[in-house]
Amino acid sequence: MSGDPWELLAERLALILTRLEVDDFLILHAGEYYVQCYQEPAGLYAEALANRPQYPPVRIGADAEQRLLDLGWQPPINADENWTARLAFPASHRQARQLADRLIATLRDVYQTKATTDVRYEASNAVAGTSWNADALGLLPQTVV
């Protein structure tokens, strides 16, 4: 494994993605941008933030949208939707690593996140309403203001 912080984060993320429980959310925040995963009973659903007019407004340029397509994201169908991807359950480590690489490339290349230290995580279970610890990512948790 390389000493590159983005590669280390992708490997740690892949491991966590294979261990999510049903209804677990994992959101990686980078400023006003984010990518997120939700473990459904039949698979893992992932999203990358798309253009949005509401507060705070986010505008992703044409080059960035092309990069999202190149990374394998499915474009939003409606104006209030994000870019999406899915993995069947259970996902292999290889599949989880491919999704982790996509999530990390989105943060780094599309949303122009400069360093892994600029990324924060939020981890919770939607049904239980409880947070869970994703410190294994090597990131700080997102603070709510």
Side-chain angles (χ1 to χ4, degrees):
M1 184 182 317
S2 150
D4 175 57
W6 290 108
E7 284 295 315
L8 294 170
L9 179 56
E11 185 56 37
R12 292 172 181 153
L13 178 56
L15 187 57
I16 285 179
L17 293 178
T18 62
R19 296 179 177 173
L20 293 178
E21 296 183 16
V22 172
D23 297 318
D24 277 353
F25 264 106
L26 178 62
I27 306 170
L28 300 180
H29 297 271
E32 62 189 5
Y33 300 100
Y34 65 85
V35 293
Q36 65 183 353
C37 296
Y38 178 69
Q39 181 63 61
E40 300 172 325
L44 184 60
Y45 177 76
E47 288 186 340
L49 182 64
N51 286 324
R52 66 174 185 216
Q54 70 272 26
Y55 182 83
V58 172
R59 186 80 193 135
I60 300 166
D63 288 347
E65 287 186 329
Q66 183 58 53
R67 180 70 175 128
L68 288 165
L69 283 170
D70 294 345
L71 288 169
W73 290 101
Q74 296 300 307
I77 296 169
N78 298 309
D80 62 342
E81 295 177 342
N82 287 322
W83 294 77
T84 59
R86 290 186 182 274
L87 285 184
F89 181 78
S92 68
H93 180 77
R94 188 178 127 273
Q95 292 168 315
R97 177 58 197 252
Q98 289 172 339
L99 179 58
D101 287 341
R102 182 183 307 173
L103 294 165
I104 296 305
T106 300
L107 290 171
R108 183 189 59 222
D109 304 338
V110 177
Y111 302 146
Q112 300 297 305
T113 306
K114 301 294 182 215
T116 59
T117 54
D118 297 329
V119 180
R120 301 289 182 265
Y121 79 84
E122 183 178 344
S124 64
N125 185 281
V127 172
T130 56
S131 296
W132 51 273
N133 187 317
D135 287 348
L137 288 169
L139 302 173
L140 294 172
Q142 174 77 2
T143 53
V144 179
V145 244

